[in-house]
Amino acid sequence: MADTLLIRHPASGAETELTITDASIRAAELRRFNIGGEPLATFDPGFTNTAACHSAITYIDGDAGVLEYRGYPIATLAEHSTYLEVAYLLLNGELPTATELTAWEDRITTHRRVPEELKTVLAGFPASAHPMTILMSSVAAFFSFYPDARNFDDPASRSRAIARLIAKMPTLAAYAFRKGRGEAYVAPEDDLGYCANFLHMLFAQPDRPYEEHQHLVRAMEVLFILHADHEQNCSTNAVRSVASSGNDLFTCCSAGIGALHGPLHGGANEAVLKMLREIGSVDRVGEFIEGVKAGRTRMMGFGHRVYKNYDPRAKIIKSSVEDVFEITGVNPLLKIALELERYGLDDEYFVSRRLYPNVDFYSGLIYEALGFPPEMFTVLFAVPRASGWAAQYQEFITDPEQKIARPKQIYTGHSTRDYVPIGARG
Ligand code: ACO
């Protein structure tokens, strides 16, 4: 149903009526109204109120703390599904039948290995390289090994690139992890499921195969499901933006990995652990909170652009913390985290700004207990997000409404001026 909105230009007072369709104003509508020589535009740094696409993949109601993939609540999927089942759902719009799931799992298993030549590229990184840098470069390098990805308009080529990406992300991540520890690579094991194989490639030793623990494999499946997609966040926006100039999936996802690396996005769980270590003990939490309120620092793992309520993913992660700690032993930083959360949920500063724990608040504690160093945390976010990026990429590529991403600016620089030769500049 269309409605109208009356807009008055602040300087000239000229008025114009805009049509509102399905709760949005189309940019083309705004551009039609040319007041004072300039078409109307929105000024929206960070796109806090600008929709750049229609999407049928993920639904978030930030006020209510709701997250759904293709209409299924995240808690239901986390309870009943595997990560690959959810990846199938994101990509195809429907949950797979048992036969479809087996075929999809088999397809992913056949693509797990990375090209031999890529291993020499991986070996060339310094031992100190951040695993996200290794992941980002290797995913970009995939395009040189699988140039067929450029045929993204062909559904078969596109689907092959997607399967390759999802299958090889854990292999790359495990290689990056082992490189940091100076350990030899471990090849994928075809008999193991997606998450069990990932744990095997990460932790198996020549004299000691990785001992599979069902609770830990399940915890990894749940973490992967929670991180699989989150509609138009910073990294997904990067993927779509790079796709908009006509790029292959690997180049786009490499950009997504770069965006995810930042501490305000996927890097936050690494920052949470750093923060907890700096606080050091429960009795210093009050002092830390005072510093946050005075604007000296941020409480990492708190606050979200979209959620103005408890992040539903944080709730699920918090509930698996105890299961994991039962097997791995309790992470002593948990007490500090719980005390921080208690303050945060009670204190006027956080309550009035509607700042709640986000997905990163507890995930780092679990990852550390599982034996990962902090620099791997964002990698553990990127591996499952590959399915979300791939689904969003596919939706973008097949969306006739989409165009090359090219935001407007409001120019604040000099007006045209005379060039002064270098000898005459004072
Ligand atoms: N600690 C203290 N104050 C905060 C925090 C925080 N974590 N987050 C927001 N605020 C305050 C801001 O200072 C601001 O206060 P003001 O109105 O007095 O100036 C107000 O809350 C609004 O904050 P914005 O920065 O405008 O909110 P925005 O939506 O732009 O930022 C973000 C969201 C980046 C996630 C922010 O909350 C933050 O920096 N959080 C910590 C980092 C983090 O945990 N990131 C992970 C997000 S989840 C993910 O990416 C997977």
Side-chain angles (χ1 to χ4, degrees), residues 224-262:
F224 275 18
I225 290 169
L226 300 183
H227 285 91
D229 194 51
H230 211 233
E231 54 119 304
Q232 307 311 313
N233 55 80
C234 179
S235 53
T236 301
N237 182 55
V239 169
R240 281 182 175 256
S241 217
V242 176
S244 78
S245 65
N247 269 303
D248 66 285
L249 176 72
F250 303 125
T251 303
C252 298
C253 287
S254 165
I257 295 169
L260 190 68
H261 194 179

Side-chain angles (χ1 to χ4, degrees), residues 45-46 48 227 230 233-235 260 262-269 271-272 275 288-289 291-293 295 297-308 311 313 349-350 352-361 381 385:
T48 56
H227 285 91
H230 211 233
N233 55 80
C234 179
S235 53
L260 190 68
L264 295 186
H265 190 9
N269 49 13
V272 169
M275 172 187 77
F288 175 80
I289 294 280
V292 172
K293 287 157 68 173
T297 184
R298 282 205 162 191
M299 176 124 111
M300 300 313 284
F302 251 67
H304 198 275
R305 169 60 59 79
V306 181
Y307 294 117
K308 302 302 170 196
D311 181 336
R313 301 168 300 172
Y349 174 92
F350 296 92
S352 62
R353 289 169 179 77
R354 306 179 71 191
L355 302 170
Y356 292 85
N358 61 47
V359 67
D360 289 316
F361 193 67
F381 190 153
R385 185 52 62 89

Side-chain angles (χ1 to χ4, degrees), residues 135-154:
L135 197 65
M136 182 166 59
S137 322
S138 312
V139 169
F142 277 161
F143 184 46
S144 26
F145 294 99
Y146 308 112
D148 175 44
R150 77 161 57 87
N151 302 319
F152 45 78
D153 285 330
D154 169 39

Side-chain angles (χ1 to χ4, degrees), residues 70-298:
R70 301 280 190 187
Y72 294 102
I74 191 71
T76 312
L77 293 170
E79 192 180 344
H80 299 292
S81 287
T82 62
Y83 168 68
L84 277 188
E85 201 179 344
V86 168
Y88 184 101
L89 171 71
L90 291 170
L91 287 160
N92 300 291
E94 296 297 336
L95 284 165
T97 62
T99 317
E100 285 166 341
L101 181 59
T102 305
W104 169 236
E105 287 168 345
D106 290 349
R107 186 164 188 218
I108 293 297
T109 302
T110 59
H111 283 299
R112 279 179 182 165
R113 284 174 168 69
V114 298
E116 281 304 313
E117 298 96 312
L118 186 61
K119 292 185 189 162
T120 60
V121 177
L122 289 164
F125 280 97
S128 58
H130 197 291
M132 280 297 269
T133 307
I134 298 181
L135 197 65
M136 182 166 59
S137 322
S138 312
V139 169
F142 277 161
F143 184 46
S144 26
F145 294 99
Y146 308 112
D148 175 44
R150 77 161 57 87
N151 302 319
F152 45 78
D153 285 330
D154 169 39
S157 297
R158 198 167 59 232
S159 150
R160 206 159 29 242
I162 289 173
R164 282 183 168 135
L165 179 77
I166 293 173
K168 293 178 201 306
M169 284 291 273
T171 316
L172 281 180
Y175 280 9
F177 172 68
R178 297 185 75 102
K179 181 175 179 60
R181 310 220 299 188
E183 292 176 352
Y185 304 144
V186 170
E189 175 56 70
D190 287 355
D191 293 338
L192 295 175
Y194 192 83
C195 288
N197 171 59
F198 185 36
L199 289 166
H200 155 79
M201 291 190 295
L202 288 160
F203 296 116
Q205 296 299 327
D207 54 340
R208 190 166 30 90
Y210 181 70
E211 196 186 326
E212 193 179 320
H213 204 300
Q214 280 313 314
H215 284 323
L216 295 188
V217 173
R218 186 61 210 161
M220 188 67 102
E221 294 274 1
V222 170
L223 283 160
F224 275 18
I225 290 169
L226 300 183
H227 285 91
D229 194 51
H230 211 233
E231 54 119 304
Q232 307 311 313
N233 55 80
C234 179
S235 53
T236 301
N237 182 55
V239 169
R240 281 182 175 256
S241 217
V242 176
S244 78
S245 65
N247 269 303
D248 66 285
L249 176 72
F250 303 125
T251 303
C252 298
C253 287
S254 165
I257 295 169
L260 190 68
H261 194 179
L264 295 186
H265 190 9
N269 49 13
E270 193 174 334
V272 169
L273 275 230
K274 191 164 167 278
M275 172 187 77
L276 295 176
R277 278 215 174 81
E278 278 166 10
I279 297 172
S281 64
V282 170
D283 55 343
R284 294 191 53 208
V285 165
E287 183 193 327
F288 175 80
I289 294 280
E290 287 315 310
V292 172
K293 287 157 68 173
R296 287 195 290 277
T297 184
R298 282 205 162 191

Side-chain angles (χ1 to χ4, degrees), residues 281-346:
S281 64
V282 170
D283 55 343
R284 294 191 53 208
V285 165
E287 183 193 327
F288 175 80
I289 294 280
E290 287 315 310
V292 172
K293 287 157 68 173
R296 287 195 290 277
T297 184
R298 282 205 162 191
M299 176 124 111
M300 300 313 284
F302 251 67
H304 198 275
R305 169 60 59 79
V306 181
Y307 294 117
K308 302 302 170 196
N309 201 325
Y310 212 106
D311 181 336
R313 301 168 300 172
K315 254 187 214 155
I316 299 167
I317 292 183
K318 193 179 171 188
S319 68
S320 34
V321 161
E322 276 176 20
D323 291 351
V324 172
F325 286 1
E326 219 169 86
I327 299 157
T328 61
V330 176
N331 188 327
L333 296 174
L334 176 65
K335 275 195 184 146
I336 304 174
L338 288 170
E339 184 67 358
L340 271 179
E341 182 185 336
R342 197 180 63 75
Y343 262 89
L345 295 180
D346 218 34

